[in-house]
């Protein structure tokens, strides 16, 4: 079994919890409260900046030109393509790019982005690859589930289409291959890779919950 599949097997209960989360099921059905989706858009917009930064820092750790180039390409795609999708979503709510930039991160978003950026600074490439894998693979699996569950087009169909696109599938497949290759090259890093993967997967699940309950800060402005 490939190491990326071993990680998915280790996190199967987290994956099941994601698929069962009401944010996911209601988005698939088109019944999700618009305020919850708006909160996801705002928070994910802030998250993606640090997600892209993580890939850029991973690129600096790569020891060969091909990996460095591809990791930088992923960072660029997130900043250029995926953030543009979020700006489109935001416009439906009357939000401008400036509004998104001014959004304060919710506690879960802070925890997740701090984990990714710290990992990208302190850990070797295999661990960074494992830490970012739950986001890409999780969104693909969740969106495929949404596509199967959805009964016709609705306001959230563009979300499902984006994260089941051929381009997104190819990117996730490459990331899985990077996890496998770096685990093969660095067998001593596998325990740390597993720990990073599982923590990121748990934070992915918490991100759905954060958006669904519109998590904020209880004190302070």
């Amino acid at each position: 079994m490939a190491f990326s599949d071993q990680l998915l097997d280790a996190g199967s209960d987290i994956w099941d919890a994601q698929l069962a989360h009401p944010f996911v099921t209601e988005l698939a059905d088109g019944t999700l409260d618009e305020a919850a989706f708006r909160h996801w858009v705002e928070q994910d917009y802030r998250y993606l900046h640090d997600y892209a930064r993580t890939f850029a820092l991973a690129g600096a750790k790569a020891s060969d030109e091909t990996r460095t180039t591809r990791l930088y390409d992923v960072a660029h795609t997130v900043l250029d393509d995926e953030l543009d999708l979020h700006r489109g979503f935001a416009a439906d709510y009357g939000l401008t790019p400036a509004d998104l930039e001014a959004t304060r991160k919710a506690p879960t978003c802070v925890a997740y982005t701090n984990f990714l950026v710290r990992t990208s600074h302190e850990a070797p490439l295999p661990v960074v690859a494992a830490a970012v894998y739950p986001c890409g693979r999780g969104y693909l699996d969740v969106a495929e589930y949404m596509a199967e569950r959805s009964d016709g087009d609705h306001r959230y169909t563009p979300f499902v289409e984006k994260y089941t696109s051929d381009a997104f599938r190819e990117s996730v497949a490459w990331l899985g291959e990077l996890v496998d290759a770096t685990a093969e090259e660095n067998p001593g890093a596998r325990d740390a890779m597993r720990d990073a993967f599982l923590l990121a997967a748990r934070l992915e699940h918490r991100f759905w919950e954060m958006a669904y309950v519109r998590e904020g800060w209880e004190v302070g402005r």
Side-chain angles (χ1 to χ4, degrees), residues 36 45 48 68 105 126 135 153 161 196 203 212:
Y45 187 85
L48 286 172
T68 296
K105 290 180 181 178
C135 182
D153 291 349
E161 292 176 341
L203 288 165
Y212 194 71

Side-chain angles (χ1 to χ4, degrees), residues 87-109:
R87 293 184 194 103
F89 287 146
D92 293 338
Y93 296 93
L95 296 170
T96 66
D99 293 328
L100 293 172
E101 293 286 351
T103 296
R104 185 181 187 185
K105 290 180 181 178
T108 296
C109 188

Side-chain angles (χ1 to χ4, degrees), residues 29-148:
D29 297 338
T31 60
L32 179 66
D33 188 327
E34 292 183 9
F37 189 73
R38 170 177 170 160
H39 197 63
W40 172 83
V41 169
E42 293 170 325
Q43 293 298 317
D44 204 53
Y45 187 85
R46 296 301 312 279
Y47 166 87
L48 286 172
H49 282 85
D50 286 319
Y51 189 61
R53 183 175 293 113
T54 299
F55 275 96
L57 290 166
K61 292 175 180 285
S63 59
D64 64 90
E65 182 179 345
T66 300
R67 284 181 183 170
T68 296
T69 300
R70 186 60 190 266
L71 288 161
Y72 286 158
D73 283 346
V74 173
H76 180 267
T77 298
V78 170
L79 292 172
D80 185 52
D81 181 54
E82 200 162 358
L83 286 183
D84 193 55
L85 176 75
H86 284 57
R87 293 184 194 103
F89 287 146
D92 293 338
Y93 296 93
L95 296 170
T96 66
D99 293 328
L100 293 172
E101 293 286 351
T103 296
R104 185 181 187 185
K105 290 180 181 178
T108 296
C109 188
V110 170
Y112 198 176
T113 55
N114 283 0
F115 163 68
L116 289 178
V117 174
R118 185 182 70 250
T119 300
S120 66
H121 277 284
E122 298 177 356
L125 179 61
V127 179
V128 182
V132 295
Y133 190 47
C135 182
R137 181 58 189 259
Y139 266 68
L140 175 59
D141 290 347
V142 163
E144 286 183 333
Y145 171 76
M146 290 175 176
E148 293 172 359

